[in-house]
Amino acid sequence: MWRPGTVHPARGSAMPTLVSTSDQPAADQADYWRHLITSAFGPFHLQPAGRGPFAARLVARALGQIEASEVRAPAHAVRRSVRQIHHDSRECYKLGLVLRGSCVLRQNDRQVRVGPGDVVFYDLTRPVEIAFDAHHIFTVVIPHRAVPLSADRMAELGGTLLSDQAGTGRMVASLLAALAEDGGAADEPYAHHLGGAIVELVTGAATEWLGAEPTPSPEAAEMLRAIVDWIETRLHDPGLTPAAIAAAHHISVRQLYRVFQPKGTTVARYIRARRLDHCRRELRDPFLATQRIGAIACRWGLPDAAAFSRAFRAAYGVTPSAYRAAATGIDRVD
């Protein structure tokens, strides 16, 4: 028996996940589809337009931290209530590009008709109603934490057509159309870069629409804390680079730089400063006074002795050996 949760594609997988009602008895297909979309997008009420078979399919694919889906389904209506939202821990935005058919979406006291080529934006943490004709739609689900605008400001966009917006909004529509034409296909490690590009464009479109500058949202602040903690446990690794950090957190390098802006420094400089600080602490530790300076530097991801000495002197105004001598009275342990 199918269980909710199987719709979600595996992180890092190059293969899409296909689910369909075709192998279910006709009388059970609509209810089965309701379970499928609940797994993929959160709880919804679903009302088919008529009785009889409900032939529908969904192909889901992970693109880094976002999820793309291609949906084909007959006419029906869905509604997401305050009660359902309250019992769903997921906090996501959703974009839908209509490829065939149409729908009418209501959110934030707005009602908009979405036809072929249109991209509609809505917030899954706010009530929404959608009435679909028989349709073929390409959707993208983006976690709130991925967008560096406050969730309250982003919620103001619910029920708007991004494709009607000149500039970045139309670029979002063009990128989604290209992805839909390719079936959302992208091999790793390029998939997470595509996801990052979508987030960047959506952020740009939202900024243009709202007239808001990106500011650290609670979600972005939490991501920054998680990244900083992750970095701290890997300072010993000489391969700790912005690209490696971004890949580990399923974001683009550009997104990483943006998340890191509140630190007032670059990612690489932050890593170097943290490594040098750990080295400085150990150089003044009397219990480590006989340990070689090069070994201390290597332990903190700085294996090049000459580069370490230059960086230490630039940061603290003295060489590592001079610093240790002043702090411990040990003249030289190289």
Side-chain angles (χ1 to χ4, degrees), residues 104-113 129 159:
V104 175
L105 183 144
R106 294 184 61 186
Q107 189 171 66
N108 288 345
D109 296 323
R110 293 191 185 103
Q111 178 170 300
V112 60
R113 175 168 286 277
E129 298 178 9

Side-chain angles (χ1 to χ4, degrees), residues 18 54 81 83 212 236 241 284 307:
L18 167 65
F54 194 93
S81 67
R83 181 180 178 85
H236 64 279
T241 64
R284 72 186 186 199

